[in-house]
């Protein structure tokens, strides 16, 4: 197996670009997760309200 020679400049550039891109991807993933959790909370609260109405009518 051959290991390709990578210049020091290219290595530094790769590291400098990978850190911000990883932070952006993580930030976006957290935003999506929070949106999903908010949506799920609304769904569960709606189901709870319906169940409470049914129990109140029974």
């Amino acid at each position: 197996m051959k290991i390709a020679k990578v210049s020091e400049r290219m290595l530094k550039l790769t590291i400098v670009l990978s850190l911000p891109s990883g932070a952006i991807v993580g930030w976006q993933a957290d935003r999506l997760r929070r949106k999903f959790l908010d949506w799920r909370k609304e769904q569960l609260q709606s189901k709870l309200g319906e169940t409470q109405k049914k129990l109140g009518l029974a």
Side-chain angles (χ1 to χ4, degrees), residues 30-48:
D30 189 50
R31 284 184 62 214
L32 286 173
R33 182 179 155 272
R34 280 186 274 130
K35 277 186 175 183
F36 169 75
L37 291 176
D38 288 344
W39 173 82
R40 185 71 179 135
K41 181 180 177 182
E42 285 180 23
Q43 296 296 321
L44 291 173
Q45 285 178 338
S46 174
K47 285 185 179 181
L48 177 63

Side-chain angles (χ1 to χ4, degrees), residues 3 7 17 19 30 43 46 49 52 54 56:
I3 297 177
S7 70
L17 292 176
L19 292 175
D30 189 50
Q43 296 296 321
S46 174
Q52 287 175 336
K54 286 180 185 177

Side-chain angles (χ1 to χ4, degrees), residues 1-11:
M1 191 187 269
K2 274 188 173 180
I3 297 177
K5 274 191 164 184
V6 178
S7 70
E8 188 176 333
R9 182 177 177 201
M10 184 60 77
L11 185 61

